[in-house]
Amino acid sequence: MASVTQQQIQKFYKDGFLVLEQFFSAEECDSMRRQIQGIVAGMEVPPHCRTAFSTRQEEQLQAQGSSDYFLTSGDKIRFFFEKGVLDEKGNFLIPKEKSVSKIGHALHAYDPVFKQITHSPKVQELGRKLGLERPVVVQSMYIFKQPGIGGEVTPHQDATFLHTEPLGRILGFWIALEDATEENGCLWFIPGSHTNGITRRMVRAASGASTCVEFVGSEPAYDDKQFIPLPISKGGLILIHGEVVHKSELNSSESSRHAFTFHVMEAKGTTWSKENWLQPTPELPFPSLYT
């Protein structure tokens, strides 16, 4: 991998994203895919995906159970499924390795392969080139984008979910573990859309509310014509500014679009919102990117 130039870094700050082809080797990508195959092979369906509902009240408790599963996933390795792949008893209607939508949110902390990738020397060097002084890793996810059913991700800004004061302190690293194409659901961006702040926040709901999180503010209607697709080859890295608007379409192809992604926060002079769904825990304070 060639070293990142100052010109590329300037481009990142102008566009809000940067494509770095062949940042990781094919071997590194394959080691992550092999590791995830093992994790999926040992996967248990979470209890909240298995109950047959009877009353409205049980359904609400049920939703609470699943929301709890999400809210407490920041320091664990947990499974999230595509819609319609499980029956009410939690049995798979399709092969289980094709049913998972994503695995999150602490692979970077608890899995040796993903930990090594997250803290790899080239990632640390890139952090230093970007001028990050005290970067910490806040979350990671393995995203499957399953063939035929990998759902669309509507236009959003990562800072909606990972809010900081001031803004501009969140950075996403998105690694293509297979070629990402327009057919299988590559990312799309609005260049320059990271400079207008954010219009919507996802916050923890007051305790006792029927949902665990709620949205404050609203997402504007974005003009589809403003988005540009960023197809990228296996091993490529896309750097994503926390406020840039991006999306991905439904995967209507016959090939999956696996990706590993993690988010870093510049902790120097930054306050992490207490209202974010994701919170550091005593078991897992946000680890430093630099080792």
Side-chain angles (χ1 to χ4, degrees), residues 121-191:
K122 48 196 166 190
V123 169
Q124 299 193 37
E125 183 199 357
L126 181 52
R128 293 197 164 91
K129 287 216 163 132
L130 286 160
L132 301 177
E133 291 182 58
R134 282 184 33 221
V136 296
V137 186
V138 298
Q139 69 158 4
S140 57
M141 280 189 293
Y142 191 103
I143 302 168
F144 292 81
K145 201 75 168 177
Q146 301 283 5
I149 60 168
E152 65 169 339
V153 177
T154 54
H156 68 282
Q157 299 166 290
D158 292 342
T160 284
F161 307 95
L162 308 171
H163 192 267
T164 60
E165 299 271 339
L167 286 171
R169 299 304 173 85
I170 290 288
L171 178 63
F173 290 71
W174 192 96
I175 305 157
L177 304 185
E178 303 179 278
D179 294 351
T181 63
E182 284 192 46
E183 290 68 46
N184 73 2
C186 70
L187 300 180
W188 295 65
F189 287 80
I190 300 181

Side-chain angles (χ1 to χ4, degrees), residues 80-154:
F80 301 90
F81 298 93
E82 289 292 355
K83 288 191 185 82
V85 299
L86 293 162
D87 67 16
E88 67 279 1
K89 298 194 173 63
N91 300 317
F92 291 103
L93 300 168
I94 61 171
K96 75 172 180 178
E97 63 280 1
K98 295 229 184 305
S99 68
V100 192
S101 150
K102 61 181 191 184
I103 297 180
H105 288 90
L107 287 160
H108 62 280
Y110 296 129
D111 181 275
V113 170
F114 291 100
K115 186 176 198 169
Q116 189 182 355
I117 293 285
T118 303
H119 297 279
S120 57
K122 48 196 166 190
V123 169
Q124 299 193 37
E125 183 199 357
L126 181 52
R128 293 197 164 91
K129 287 216 163 132
L130 286 160
L132 301 177
E133 291 182 58
R134 282 184 33 221
V136 296
V137 186
V138 298
Q139 69 158 4
S140 57
M141 280 189 293
Y142 191 103
I143 302 168
F144 292 81
K145 201 75 168 177
Q146 301 283 5
I149 60 168
E152 65 169 339
V153 177
T154 54

Side-chain angles (χ1 to χ4, degrees), residues 249-261:
E249 302 292 342
L250 174 79
N251 179 2
S252 52
S253 80
E254 290 173 16
S255 51
S256 54
R257 190 222 66 189
H258 288 203
F260 175 58
T261 170

